[in-house]
Amino acid sequence: MTYDHDNIFAKILRREIPSKIVYENEYILSFHDIAPIAPLHILAIPKTPYTDFSDFHQNADQNIIIQFYKGVEQTILALNLPNGYRLVSNKGESGGQEVPHYHVHILSGAQFSTKEMFKKAH
Ligand code: AMP
């Protein structure tokens, strides 16, 4: 998939639309999801243009990948989540991805169960 520079997260990175930022450095921007599905729902996105998990891991420089995940951990530290959290990343139709800029959801403040997170596959 070709990267769409008009996707909503590209606009957030360019500050064309606002976001509630919780952590930022040279490599990553982390902000509140506009439609949270948990008491705490943060999105962490690399500042480089990749469409999804596979595109990021196949095509980004190693340092970009390492620094992104260090940034995810820095975000988690900044949020102070002693009871834990869940990380989610969606790709494609099966994954339910809506925004085509790679992102990791950080979910916390609720009791999640792996068994309940899937609708029946068809
Ligand atoms: P995904 O389905 O994994 O692509 O997730 C996209 C997420 O982006 C959804 O949880 C949306 O609620 C969220 N979202 C969409 N637009 C915005 C926005 N302008 N600011 C913050 N979050 C957004």
Side-chain angles (χ1 to χ4, degrees), residues 41-60:
H41 187 170
I42 304 298
L43 300 169
I45 70 175
K47 288 191 171 177
T48 37
Y50 295 98
T51 56
D52 53 46
F53 179 92
S54 293
D55 184 27
F56 187 60
H57 289 268
Q58 288 169 22
N59 299 312

Side-chain angles (χ1 to χ4, degrees), residues 21-33:
I21 296 171
V22 296
Y23 181 80
E24 179 173 20
N25 68 27
E26 189 184 340
Y27 301 95
I28 189 172
L29 186 70
S30 300
F31 52 94
H32 285 269
D33 195 294

Side-chain angles (χ1 to χ4, degrees), residues 8-9 12 17-20 31-37 41 43 88-91 95-101 103 105:
I8 202 131
F9 293 171
I12 284 176
I17 59 172
S19 65
K20 282 174 63 185
F31 52 94
H32 285 269
D33 195 294
I34 204 165
I37 61 158
H41 187 170
L43 300 169
V88 174
S89 187
N90 303 316
K91 172 180 165 62
Q97 182 176 9
E98 290 173 7
V99 179
H101 179 112
H103 53 280
H105 298 254

Side-chain angles (χ1 to χ4, degrees), residues 57-68:
H57 289 268
Q58 288 169 22
N59 299 312
D61 288 346
Q62 268 195 19
N63 187 51
I64 294 283
I65 295 172
I66 291 167
Q67 294 302 333
F68 173 67

